[in-house]
């Protein structure tokens, strides 16, 4: 263990390894949060295009509507870990807000261990077969003129789970 400790000290130059791990773990929610912020702009533009095509040119484009729905779903799934990190998730805090910081941390710890982690692991495990099957058949939209990449969209479930597991 002394040799391993010396190797880590040499690599990280005396800084705590937890600092580097924390930076790595903080990078992913921030990165996907940034991507999600661009999805909001895409959704605004797509909505404007859909409305323009429908009411001005009397044309409906199913693919545009599906992209809008996919962006909306991806926005929530990819921002969940960032919201958790920033403590911006929805919570009923009638009692929580008046507690001390130490009590809040204890409640958060038990909430993560007893509720969040098990649920996210269940989502991950059930999504594996769901996503794998979708990829195996190269799932496409059931709608005529829909998108041919439904399997890519479904893969976001796995990414969502991994990000939340790591952030938690």
């Amino acid at each position: 263990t002394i040799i391993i400790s010396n190797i880590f000290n040499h690599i990280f130059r005396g800084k705590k390894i937890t600092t580097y791990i924390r930076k790595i773990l903080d990078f992913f929610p921030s990165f996907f949060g940034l991507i999600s912020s661009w999805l909001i702009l895409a959704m605004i533009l797509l909505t404007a295009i859909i409305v323009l095509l429908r009411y001005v040119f009397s044309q409906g484009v199913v693919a545009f509507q599906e992209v809008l729905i996919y962006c909306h779903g991806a926005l929530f799934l990819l921002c969940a870990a960032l919201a958790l990190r920033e403590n911006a998730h929805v919570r009923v805090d009638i009692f929580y807000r008046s507690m001390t910081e130490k009590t809040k941390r204890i409640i958060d710890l038990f909430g993560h261990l007893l509720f969040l982690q098990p649920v996210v692991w269940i989502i991950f495990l059930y999504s594996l077969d769901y996503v794998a099957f979708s990829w195996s058949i190269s799932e496409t939209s059931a709608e005529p003129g829909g998108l041919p990449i439904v399997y890519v969209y479904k893969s976001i479930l796995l990414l969502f789970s991994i990000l939340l597991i790591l952030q938690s």
Side-chain angles (χ1 to χ4, degrees), residues 134-151:
S134 185
W135 275 86
S136 71
I137 63 169
S138 297
E139 187 174 3
T140 62
S141 174
E143 299 294 323
L147 295 177
I149 56 167
V150 173
Y151 54 95

Side-chain angles (χ1 to χ4, degrees), residues 55 76 85 100 127:
Y55 295 108
F76 285 96
R85 186 186 84 195
T100 66
S127 297

Side-chain angles (χ1 to χ4, degrees), residues 46-97:
L46 275 169
T47 302
I49 291 169
I50 290 168
V51 168
L52 182 70
L53 287 173
R54 182 178 297 154
Y55 295 108
V56 175
F57 298 107
S58 299
Q59 295 290 321
V61 181
V62 174
F64 284 173
Q65 293 171 345
E66 285 188 357
V67 169
L68 180 65
I69 291 168
Y70 291 3
C71 286
H72 189 256
L75 173 68
F76 285 96
L77 292 173
L78 295 177
C79 280
L82 180 63
L84 183 62
R85 186 186 84 195
E86 299 295 325
N87 205 18
H89 51 282
V90 177
R91 131 182 323 144
V92 179
D93 64 349
I94 297 169
F95 303 108
Y96 186 85
R97 66 179 162 207

